[in-house]
PDB file of all heavy atoms in Angstrom:
ATOM      1  N   ILE A 135      42.197  15.306  18.746  1.00 77.00           N
ATOM      2  CA  ILE A 135      40.807  15.340  19.216  1.00 77.00           C
ATOM      3  C   ILE A 135      39.847  14.650  18.252  1.00 77.00           C
ATOM      4  O   ILE A 135      39.067  13.777  18.650  1.00 77.00           O
ATOM      5  CB  ILE A 135      40.356  16.796  19.456  1.00 77.00           C
ATOM      6  CG1 ILE A 135      41.303  17.498  20.440  1.00 77.00           C
ATOM      7  CG2 ILE A 135      38.918  16.807  19.977  1.00 77.00           C
ATOM      8  CD1 ILE A 135      41.391  16.832  21.792  1.00 77.00           C
ATOM      9  N   LEU A 136      39.873  15.044  16.984  1.00 79.00           N
ATOM     10  CA  LEU A 136      38.894  14.512  16.033  1.00 79.00           C
ATOM     11  C   LEU A 136      38.972  12.993  15.844  1.00 79.00           C
ATOM     12  O   LEU A 136      37.921  12.338  15.765  1.00 79.00           O
ATOM     13  CB  LEU A 136      39.023  15.223  14.686  1.00 79.00           C
ATOM     14  CG  LEU A 136      38.525  16.672  14.658  1.00 79.00           C
ATOM     15  CD1 LEU A 136      38.715  17.273  13.276  1.00 79.00           C
ATOM     16  CD2 LEU A 136      37.056  16.755  15.071  1.00 79.00           C
ATOM     17  N   PRO A 137      40.172  12.405  15.771  1.00 78.00           N
ATOM     18  CA  PRO A 137      40.208  10.940  15.645  1.00 78.00           C
ATOM     19  C   PRO A 137      39.527  10.228  16.818  1.00 78.00           C
ATOM     20  O   PRO A 137      38.892   9.184  16.630  1.00 78.00           O
ATOM     21  CB  PRO A 137      41.709  10.628  15.602  1.00 78.00           C
ATOM     22  CG  PRO A 137      42.327  11.863  15.030  1.00 78.00           C
ATOM     23  CD  PRO A 137      41.522  12.988  15.628  1.00 78.00           C
ATOM     24  N   GLN A 138      39.672  10.790  18.021  1.00 80.00           N
ATOM     25  CA  GLN A 138      39.033  10.173  19.192  1.00 80.00           C
ATOM     26  C   GLN A 138      37.531  10.463  19.230  1.00 80.00           C
ATOM     27  O   GLN A 138      36.736   9.622  19.646  1.00 80.00           O
ATOM     28  CB  GLN A 138      39.689  10.687  20.471  1.00 80.00           C
ATOM     29  CG  GLN A 138      41.156  10.290  20.600  1.00 80.00           C
ATOM     30  CD  GLN A 138      41.761  10.766  21.911  1.00 80.00           C
ATOM     31  OE1 GLN A 138      41.328  10.368  22.981  1.00 80.00           O
ATOM     32  NE2 GLN A 138      42.753  11.633  21.814  1.00 80.00           N
ATOM     33  N   ALA A 139      37.162  11.662  18.785  1.00 82.00           N
ATOM     34  CA  ALA A 139      35.744  12.028  18.784  1.00 82.00           C
ATOM     35  C   ALA A 139      34.962  11.272  17.710  1.00 82.00           C
ATOM     36  O   ALA A 139      33.763  11.030  17.859  1.00 82.00           O
ATOM     37  CB  ALA A 139      35.596  13.540  18.574  1.00 82.00           C
ATOM     38  N   ALA A 140      35.663  10.893  16.638  1.00 82.00           N
ATOM     39  CA  ALA A 140      34.990  10.252  15.501  1.00 82.00           C
ATOM     40  C   ALA A 140      34.243   8.997  15.917  1.00 82.00           C
ATOM     41  O   ALA A 140      33.119   8.758  15.484  1.00 82.00           O
ATOM     42  CB  ALA A 140      36.012   9.918  14.414  1.00 82.00           C
ATOM     43  N   ARG A 141      34.861   8.178  16.769  1.00 83.00           N
ATOM     44  CA  ARG A 141      34.209   6.920  17.148  1.00 83.00           C
ATOM     45  C   ARG A 141      32.968   7.146  17.999  1.00 83.00           C
ATOM     46  O   ARG A 141      32.124   6.272  18.106  1.00 83.00           O
ATOM     47  CB  ARG A 141      35.202   6.028  17.890  1.00 83.00           C
ATOM     48  CG  ARG A 141      35.706   6.578  19.195  1.00 83.00           C
ATOM     49  CD  ARG A 141      36.656   5.597  19.864  1.00 83.00           C
ATOM     50  NE  ARG A 141      37.158   6.124  21.134  1.00 83.00           N
ATOM     51  CZ  ARG A 141      38.425   6.094  21.503  1.00 83.00           C
ATOM     52  NH1 ARG A 141      39.339   5.586  20.711  1.00 83.00           N
ATOM     53  NH2 ARG A 141      38.792   6.571  22.670  1.00 83.00           N
ATOM     54  N   MET A 142      32.868   8.333  18.607  1.00 86.00           N
ATOM     55  CA  MET A 142      31.696   8.626  19.431  1.00 86.00           C
ATOM     56  C   MET A 142      30.595   9.339  18.658  1.00 86.00           C
ATOM     57  O   MET A 142      29.470   9.435  19.147  1.00 86.00           O
ATOM     58  CB  MET A 142      32.120   9.475  20.645  1.00 86.00           C
ATOM     59  CG  MET A 142      32.977   8.716  21.639  1.00 86.00           C
ATOM     60  SD  MET A 142      33.522   9.749  23.022  1.00 86.00           S
ATOM     61  CE  MET A 142      34.946  10.559  22.295  1.00 86.00           C
ATOM     62  N   MET A 143      30.920   9.827  17.464  1.00 88.00           N
ATOM     63  CA  MET A 143      29.899  10.587  16.729  1.00 88.00           C
ATOM     64  C   MET A 143      29.266   9.814  15.578  1.00 88.00           C
ATOM     65  O   MET A 143      28.243  10.233  15.054  1.00 88.00           O
ATOM     66  CB  MET A 143      30.494  11.903  16.209  1.00 88.00           C
ATOM     67  CG  MET A 143      31.520  11.745  15.115  1.00 88.00           C
ATOM     68  SD  MET A 143      32.076  13.342  14.408  1.00 88.00           S
ATOM     69  CE  MET A 143      33.067  14.013  15.744  1.00 88.00           C
ATOM     70  N   VAL A 144      29.850   8.678  15.192  1.00 88.00           N
ATOM     71  CA  VAL A 144      29.330   7.949  14.025  1.00 88.00           C
ATOM     72  C   VAL A 144      27.893   7.512  14.232  1.00 88.00           C
ATOM     73  O   VAL A 144      27.011   7.787  13.415  1.00 88.00           O
ATOM     74  CB  VAL A 144      30.214   6.738  13.688  1.00 88.00           C
ATOM     75  CG1 VAL A 144      29.541   5.873  12.616  1.00 88.00           C
ATOM     76  CG2 VAL A 144      31.578   7.194  13.202  1.00 88.00           C
ATOM     77  N   ARG A 145      27.615   6.822  15.342  1.00 90.00           N
ATOM     78  CA  ARG A 145      26.251   6.329  15.583  1.00 90.00           C
ATOM     79  C   ARG A 145      25.227   7.466  15.719  1.00 90.00           C
ATOM     80  O   ARG A 145      24.172   7.430  15.087  1.00 90.00           O
ATOM     81  CB  ARG A 145      26.218   5.423  16.809  1.00 90.00           C
ATOM     82  CG  ARG A 145      26.673   4.005  16.538  1.00 90.00           C
ATOM     83  CD  ARG A 145      26.458   3.119  17.735  1.00 90.00           C
ATOM     84  NE  ARG A 145      26.948   1.791  17.489  1.00 90.00           N
ATOM     85  CZ  ARG A 145      26.261   0.818  16.899  1.00 90.00           C
ATOM     86  NH1 ARG A 145      25.033   1.073  16.479  1.00 90.00           N
ATOM     87  NH2 ARG A 145      26.770  -0.375  16.704  1.00 90.00           N
ATOM     88  N   PRO A 146      25.512   8.483  16.544  1.00 92.00           N
ATOM     89  CA  PRO A 146      24.543   9.591  16.643  1.00 92.00           C
ATOM     90  C   PRO A 146      24.307  10.303  15.320  1.00 92.00           C
ATOM     91  O   PRO A 146      23.180  10.684  15.010  1.00 92.00           O
ATOM     92  CB  PRO A 146      25.187  10.532  17.673  1.00 92.00           C
ATOM     93  CG  PRO A 146      26.071   9.656  18.487  1.00 92.00           C
ATOM     94  CD  PRO A 146      26.610   8.656  17.522  1.00 92.00           C
ATOM     95  N   LEU A 147      25.372  10.482  14.525  1.00 93.00           N
ATOM     96  CA  LEU A 147      25.191  11.099  13.212  1.00 93.00           C
ATOM     97  C   LEU A 147      24.349  10.198  12.309  1.00 93.00           C
ATOM     98  O   LEU A 147      23.547  10.676  11.510  1.00 93.00           O
ATOM     99  CB  LEU A 147      26.544  11.385  12.557  1.00 93.00           C
ATOM    100  CG  LEU A 147      27.359  12.540  13.137  1.00 93.00           C
ATOM    101  CD1 LEU A 147      28.714  12.637  12.466  1.00 93.00           C
ATOM    102  CD2 LEU A 147      26.608  13.864  13.003  1.00 93.00           C
TER     103      LEU A 147
END
Side-chain angles (χ1 to χ4, degrees):
I135 304 301
L136 288 180
Q138 296 182 62
R141 63 179 180 226
M142 291 178 277
M143 69 174 71
V144 171
R145 279 187 183 274
L147 287 176

